[in-house]
Amino acid sequence: MPKVLVTGAAGFIGYHLCRRLLEDGNEVVGLDNLNQYYDPTLKEARLAELAPFPEFRFHRMDLADATGMERLFEDENPPLVVNLGAQAGVRYSIENPGVYVQSNVVGFLNVLEGCRKHGVKHLVFASSSSVYGANTQMPFSVHQTVDHPVSLYAATKKSNELMAHTYSHLFKMPTTGLRFFTVYGPWGRPDMALFQFARKILEGTPIDVYNEGKMKRDFTFVDDIVESVVRILHLPPAPNPQWSSLTPDPASSSAPYRIYNVGASQPVELLYFIEVLENALEKRAIKNLLPGQPGDLLETSADTDDLEQVTGFKPSTPIEAGIRKFVHWYRAYYGI
């Protein structure tokens, strides 16, 4: 099985992907800077889960470190790369925009350069449903234009798609962007709603429910995300022979480049999401209903027809099953 470089290996999705690749028999090189955006103890615990695998090697490094990244690609020479390393969080990008440019733009450029110089056969990179921004036509389709982001986080993810396409066009380097839709599950990030809600409900403290809960999200279980990444990783794109500059399709190109949505295609109202969590925890939430937040989308829903056509897979874990698995992990991890 080929060697795979996974950036953001200590992160939520990165941990799950590394574990799956290692279980499949791949050699995995993990990279992460273990920053302080949320408690690095959780990141270290994820890495401790991966450490027993003999085919796993970890490098603590920042994507924005151009010299270090160049040396890493020279030493490891990976044929496949999955870029999950990024500064996450829509709301945090409003408060700390500079961090996002360094990690998500400068850092991604260093990944692209490493892939170009060392003949990487396929780069798969994480984009986000947030790129749909001011779009309102549901479900969101990769064939829609996405030129109106409503947060800097979304703008950096859109920039990743544009940068990857440029490298695919100039250097014939196969790149695939995956727009993830609201990922949740065990080992999740503490800044995400599910994690915060679970903690506060168990503590008996109020949870902040923005837009009074009148929003819908296409919650996607992390195992479905990982399955999609693994399948796509071994399917590098070819140029689309039907692509036309007169009627350009944003999802493909005359270059070896593709974009896919990865979502459950089942939008769930936030209040129902909370109700399912309450049932799993066997405890009611104290809700603090608040107005909407800048940068938040009112609804997300993924059209995954292209993903299904190419991979034969459709994310389908029901929200009830996914939240039960999260609660089981949460109680075990924190000894509750």
Side-chain angles (χ1 to χ4, degrees):
M1 298 292 285
K3 180 192 295 186
V4 185
L5 169 63
V6 179
T7 72
F12 170 33
I13 301 173
Y15 156 71
H16 283 280
L17 177 63
C18 287
R19 189 177 190 101
R20 167 65 186 275
L21 290 170
L22 290 163
E23 289 171 348
D24 286 351
N26 293 89
E27 182 181 353
V28 176
V29 179
L31 178 151
D32 204 293
N33 66 357
L34 300 176
N35 68 24
Q36 301 286 323
Y37 173 62
Y38 62 83
D39 185 5
T41 302
L42 181 60
K43 300 175 185 181
E44 291 163 359
R46 295 178 186 132
L47 290 175
E49 294 282 313
L50 300 174
F53 288 93
E55 295 300 311
F56 180 70
R57 288 191 304 285
F58 178 71
H59 298 262
R60 183 168 183 172
M61 189 183 302
D62 197 304
L63 289 177
D65 177 359
T67 303
M69 290 293 291
E70 185 174 353
R71 188 181 307 116
L72 175 68
F73 271 93
E74 287 176 357
D75 292 345
E76 295 290 357
N77 199 28
L80 300 172
V81 177
V82 182
N83 185 65
L84 301 174
Q87 179 58 58
V90 169
R91 293 166 191 160
Y92 189 66
S93 71
I94 297 171
E95 303 165 16
N96 295 277
V99 176
Y100 286 76
V101 173
Q102 280 300 307
S103 179
N104 300 7
V105 179
V106 176
F108 189 61
L109 176 63
N110 291 335
V111 172
L112 288 169
E113 277 290 279
C115 292
R116 174 182 73 84
K117 292 177 181 177
H118 296 276
V120 167
K121 294 182 172 65
H122 191 192
L123 165 64
V124 177
F125 64 95
S127 186
S128 166
S129 61
S130 67
V131 301
Y132 289 102
N135 291 26
T136 56
Q137 182 179 337
M138 297 290 165
F140 290 145
S141 168
V142 290
H143 303 289
Q144 300 172 8
T145 58
V146 287
D147 292 335
H148 298 87
V150 295
S151 71
L152 186 70
Y153 171 71
T156 63
K157 287 299 184 179
K158 170 64 175 174
S159 75
N160 287 173
E161 296 180 1
L162 297 172
M163 293 163 72
H165 179 268
T166 301
Y167 273 67
S168 293
H169 172 76
L170 291 174
F171 309 113
K172 312 306 177 191
M173 188 174 85
T175 66
T176 301
L178 301 179
R179 293 175 179 167
F180 297 149
F181 281 67
T182 315
V183 190
Y184 75 100
W187 294 98
R189 298 202 327 256
D191 64 308
M192 298 185 76
L194 180 58
F195 207 111
Q196 291 191 31
F197 289 169
R199 176 175 58 81
K200 291 184 177 181
I201 291 171
L202 289 170
E203 289 173 350
T205 57
I207 62 171
D208 290 338
V209 182
Y210 292 102
N211 208 52
E212 298 183 344
K214 297 171 186 173
M215 61 174 69
K216 292 184 177 181
R217 288 287 179 272
D218 198 346
F219 294 100
T220 310
F221 192 61
V222 66
D223 288 358
D224 290 338
I225 294 286
V226 167
E227 182 66 31
S228 301
V229 174
V230 169
R231 293 189 183 213
I232 285 292
L233 184 59
H234 300 292
L235 296 168
N240 178 3
Q242 275 78 50
W243 193 87
S244 167
S245 60
L246 298 176
T247 55
D249 172 22
S252 64
S253 175
S254 57
Y257 167 87
R258 287 299 300 267
I259 295 290
Y260 297 100
N261 284 335
V262 185
S265 307
Q266 294 289 332
V268 174
E269 192 168 67
L270 184 56
L271 290 177
Y272 179 69
F273 181 79
I274 294 168
E275 181 184 331
V276 174
L277 178 58
E278 289 174 324
N279 293 337
L281 292 171
E282 299 181 334
K283 189 171 182 180
R284 299 298 97 180
I286 305 167
K287 302 182 187 73
N288 182 26
L289 301 180
L290 297 169
Q293 289 275 94
D296 278 353
L297 307 186
L298 288 180
E299 182 175 352
T300 62
S301 177
D303 177 340
T304 59
D305 287 351
D306 286 36
L307 179 74
E308 294 171 57
Q309 183 178 348
V310 170
T311 66
F313 176 72
K314 175 177 175 56
S316 59
T317 302
I319 194 77
E320 296 82 1
I323 286 180
R324 279 198 305 271
K325 290 181 179 179
F326 168 81
V327 168
H328 177 77
W329 167 80
Y330 188 91
R331 288 187 181 279
Y333 182 76
Y334 288 102
I336 300 171

